[in-house]
Short mmCIF file of all heavy atoms in Angstrom, two decimals:
data_model
loop_
_atom_site.label_atom_id
_atom_site.label_comp_id
_atom_site.label_asym_id
_atom_site.label_seq_id
_atom_site.Cartn_x
_atom_site.Cartn_y
_atom_site.Cartn_z
N ALA T 372 -8.48 -88.03 2.25
CA ALA T 372 -7.18 -87.93 1.59
C ALA T 372 -7.19 -88.73 0.30
O ALA T 372 -7.95 -89.71 0.17
CB ALA T 372 -6.06 -88.42 2.50
N THR T 579 -0.94 -61.07 -0.63
CA THR T 579 -2.16 -61.67 -0.10
C THR T 579 -3.29 -61.47 -1.09
O THR T 579 -3.46 -60.39 -1.67
CB THR T 579 -2.54 -61.06 1.26
OG1 THR T 579 -2.63 -59.64 1.12
CG2 THR T 579 -1.47 -61.39 2.29
N GLU T 643 6.56 -45.16 -17.99
CA GLU T 643 6.24 -45.31 -16.57
C GLU T 643 4.76 -45.19 -16.27
O GLU T 643 4.33 -45.61 -15.19
CB GLU T 643 7.01 -44.27 -15.74
CG GLU T 643 8.52 -44.34 -15.91
CD GLU T 643 9.08 -45.63 -15.34
OE1 GLU T 643 8.56 -46.11 -14.32
OE2 GLU T 643 10.05 -46.15 -15.93
N TYR T 693 -17.32 -36.65 -23.72
CA TYR T 693 -18.72 -36.75 -24.11
C TYR T 693 -19.38 -35.37 -24.17
O TYR T 693 -20.35 -35.16 -24.90
CB TYR T 693 -19.45 -37.65 -23.12
CG TYR T 693 -20.90 -37.93 -23.46
CD1 TYR T 693 -21.22 -38.90 -24.41
CD2 TYR T 693 -21.93 -37.23 -22.86
CE1 TYR T 693 -22.54 -39.16 -24.74
CE2 TYR T 693 -23.25 -37.48 -23.19
CZ TYR T 693 -23.55 -38.45 -24.13
OH TYR T 693 -24.85 -38.70 -24.45
#
Side-chain angles (χ1 to χ4, degrees):
T579 55
E643 302 293 325
Y693 184 81

